[in-house]
Amino acid sequence: MILDARSVQLLNTLLHSSGYVTIDALAQSLQVSKRTVYYDIQKINDWLTSQGLFELKHVRTLGFYIDDSSKEQVAKQLQALHPIRHYDYSSEERKAWIGILLLSRSRSLFLRDFLERLPISRSTLLNDIKEWKGYLRQLGLRFVFERKQGYFMEGEEIQKRKLLVQYIVLLLKMIGYEQLCAQLLHREEEKLKEMIYQSESFSTVRYTNEAVQTLTIYLAVAKKRWMRGKWIQMDEQEKEVLRLTKEYGVAHYIITEMKNYFSLDVQEDEICYLTTYLLGLRATDDQLIAQSNETAVLKQMIKNMVDDFQTYACVYFNRREELEKNLLIHMKPAYYRLKYGLHLQNELTELVKMNYHEMFTLTKKVIHHLERVVGHPVNDDEIAYIAMHFGGWLDREGVSVPKRKKALIVCEGGVGTSRILQRQVEDLLPTVDVVKVMSARQIQTYTLEQIDFIITTVPLPSQLLPVYTVRPILTAADKMRLLREVNQLPERKAPSVEALLEIVKKHARITNEKALAQELHEYMSQRARKEISTKPMLKDLLIRPHIQLVKEGGDWKEAILLAAKPLLDRGYITSEYVKAMIRNVIELGPYIVITPGIALPHARPEQGVKKIGMSLLKIKNGCLFSEKEEHRVYVIIVLAAIDNETHLKALSQLTKMLSDKENIKTLFAATSVDEILELIETHSR
């Protein structure tokens, strides 16, 4: 029994999901029909059974999931798959292998060489090659066969290198670093890795494990191309600019080491091209970004993105200047990656799309500003990184995005007319996402489960959802009606009693299903009528056992751990939540320093919060959260939120307390828990 690439991707999506995943969400994520998803799930269940594992769980109306007790075993079995014997490569992966084999070849390659590597039939391989030729033509490359030379690729070297990086990233994602190394590097891995790590020692640049893995494999293949005299050629003016960057020094060091160790003669243009690659890998920069025309363009682009994001999300960033600076630091390397066609793998993309769909959708709405600057579409991995920045900033400011509604547009006037109407609707209703534009015929087979309403320019049969008939160019009356009625639409209904019964049946024996269903109906209707007002105040969360005063707090990681200890010891959070808070600072920088001297570390509720709470640690001598003195912190307040709402009253009171400089002075000068509690009590009304 074998799994194809799409089935592996689907299985990984479920493994990384913290709850149920609907069939619609899976179909959207994989860009296939629901019928195809059901077919893939059947293949996955057959494979799980063959491995002695439990099949995927399914609850009607909620979706699919993998039991927590089974996740570790399933993950181990996936990792153990041998890429040749037990893994059915997708068409795209087969083309990636063909490309990498051609670009790393040291001898003539013929059809039999590809067939030895890929367990497929001759006809399948020939069909892949035929399709691949068309794709290569779009890149200005040609796939050529000559009787003596075998198969090879013709075209500009820089296009071949972009293709190489694209295929390395694809295969790393699907079969993993160890498997790819075993088949490509031939004992060079450790030496190349050593050179990369040594290059970090004399610069402020630090690379993630994924970046090091991709770079290691790229350098191994590039070395083979250098040995065959295949060189990059770059523009002289561009090289002058690249030589002024810190990354040029890193690239120069790596290639000099390779020249000496492997006895190579490498051209200067290769150092400059590696510089562009490294520019795309940089995650943070502790120094201010230099002023340039390019930077000015990026700053304006970011301003436009934030403007649009605020409009669509119906939020306002109080510390917008900091957000834009933070985004600029991220956008600089992203710009280089997109400009030079370098793909950076984001392991969290599917998780962001699935669990933080609204944030991803909002970011996708504003990404056209970046696309205009780089001149081509931006991939989902980059969009997910930017969405994480916006999401992190909203968390930091304690702002929640209003619930978004989903709409369909039905229009028979052609693609152009449909898009014009879509743009009008999105401008008029910023909290509405147009999920799809379709014809009246298409809507007959479309699942409306996740849709709130339909806007149409043609008459439609009666629907279960609200339907608004408008003109292709909205009139004033159309706009008034949409504004009035769409904003009054009720929220989507809570999970049905039927779905709850399905869950109960999994874990318990029901003696009287009818009576249970009736009681659940009564409970849910009572709850729906009840006004929930259980938002605790600041004094309810920052209680005496949660407050500590110390002289030294160690480094910033130790300080966060110490600050979180009361919540950890009393079962409010798990150790995973502490790790998540630390990981957020590593990935996003010292964004948790909300005002000079005060830090508010936190993570997502699903990352380990069991009960809402806060804790406070006062450090007499302070603790640095970066190399800058401005990031020295004297008070750390850990927030453990259970959702997006319950903590808002306490957070609002905390914000008001810290907005007064006199209160901060009092907090910093406090020598006892009683003094701090008195200050908290004053602002908990």
Side-chain angles (χ1 to χ4, degrees), residues 159-370:
Q159 289 298 107
K160 295 177 185 178
R161 298 292 179 86
K162 289 180 182 179
L163 192 67
L164 173 63
V165 174
Q166 175 187 329
Y167 285 159
I168 289 172
V169 169
L170 188 152
L171 291 178
L172 274 175
K173 188 173 183 179
M174 300 313 295
I175 68 171
Y177 179 66
E178 299 299 330
Q179 297 285 9
L180 199 52
C181 274
Q183 298 177 58
L184 284 179
L185 263 63
H186 309 299
R187 303 179 185 174
E188 296 170 353
E189 172 200 0
E190 290 305 320
K191 188 60 187 177
L192 289 171
K193 261 191 176 180
E194 182 185 328
M195 293 173 185
I196 296 167
Y197 287 134
Q198 285 175 347
S199 74
E200 290 182 326
S201 63
F202 60 86
S203 74
T204 59
V205 182
R206 295 294 180 269
Y207 305 119
T208 63
N209 287 337
E210 293 81 6
V212 172
Q213 290 172 359
T214 309
L215 182 55
T216 300
I217 295 172
Y218 167 78
L219 290 173
V221 178
K223 179 181 77 70
K224 294 182 179 181
R225 298 196 65 74
W226 298 339
M227 294 172 69
R228 293 173 50 228
K230 305 296 182 181
W231 307 109
I232 288 279
Q233 289 186 334
M234 298 192 68
D235 179 75
E236 284 299 324
Q237 289 184 333
E238 195 160 26
K239 287 194 288 186
E240 287 180 20
V241 174
L242 291 169
R243 290 188 190 105
L244 299 175
T245 65
K246 291 184 294 182
E247 282 73 15
Y248 178 84
V250 178
H252 190 277
Y253 173 84
I254 291 173
I255 288 185
T256 300
E257 288 292 298
M258 290 182 70
K259 285 166 64 176
N260 294 336
Y261 185 82
F262 297 111
S263 301
L264 294 169
D265 183 20
V266 184
Q267 294 183 0
E268 164 73 8
D269 286 38
E270 291 290 346
I271 300 176
C272 292
Y273 185 72
L274 182 58
T275 302
T276 68
Y277 188 100
L278 298 177
L279 280 164
L281 293 181
R282 192 197 316 183
T284 59
D285 190 345
D286 291 335
Q287 299 178 359
L288 291 175
I289 295 175
Q291 292 296 323
S292 66
N293 290 336
E294 197 172 71
T295 301
V297 169
L298 291 179
K299 282 185 174 180
Q300 184 59 48
M301 177 204 74
I302 289 167
K303 181 182 181 302
N304 295 339
M305 287 179 68
V306 175
D307 282 343
D308 282 2
F309 189 92
Q310 287 187 145
T311 300
Y312 286 126
C314 294
V315 298
Y316 177 76
F317 293 109
N318 292 314
R319 307 180 73 171
R320 175 172 173 155
E321 188 177 338
E322 284 185 56
L323 168 61
E324 291 187 4
K325 182 180 175 182
N326 185 288
L327 278 171
L328 180 60
I329 291 171
H330 171 78
M331 288 294 190
K332 197 79 169 182
Y335 167 78
Y336 280 107
R337 287 194 295 271
L338 294 164
K339 180 180 178 181
Y340 293 106
L342 305 171
H343 192 131
L344 180 64
Q345 182 181 351
N346 184 352
E347 294 292 342
L348 299 175
T349 297
E350 292 307 317
L351 196 62
V352 171
K353 289 167 72 174
M354 203 64 67
N355 291 353
Y356 309 103
H357 179 70
E358 290 189 347
M359 198 61 59
F360 183 84
T361 301
L362 285 167
T363 307
K364 205 162 188 175
K365 281 179 176 288
V366 305
I367 207 67
H368 63 91
H369 294 292
L370 176 56

Side-chain angles (χ1 to χ4, degrees), residues 398-450:
V399 178
S400 59
V401 177
K403 186 69 177 175
R404 302 183 65 77
K405 295 182 174 66
K406 294 179 170 56
L408 286 182
I409 287 181
V410 180
C411 186
E412 298 293 0
V415 175
T417 307
S418 304
R419 296 305 174 199
I420 291 171
L421 179 56
Q422 178 180 353
R423 185 65 184 172
Q424 291 177 86
V425 170
E426 290 178 335
D427 288 343
L428 181 69
L429 305 167
T431 58
V432 170
D433 294 324
V434 176
V435 175
K436 198 171 182 64
V437 178
M438 60 178 60
S439 68
R441 185 170 54 83
Q442 289 174 309
I443 199 173
Q444 296 173 12
T445 57
Y446 191 80
T447 302
L448 301 175
E449 186 179 336
Q450 301 296 322

Side-chain angles (χ1 to χ4, degrees), residues 20 59-62 495-505:
Y20 297 91
V59 174
R60 191 166 46 187
T61 76
L62 291 182
S496 66
V497 169
E498 181 187 26
L500 292 174
L501 281 172
E502 292 285 353
I503 295 172
V504 173
K505 286 177 186 177

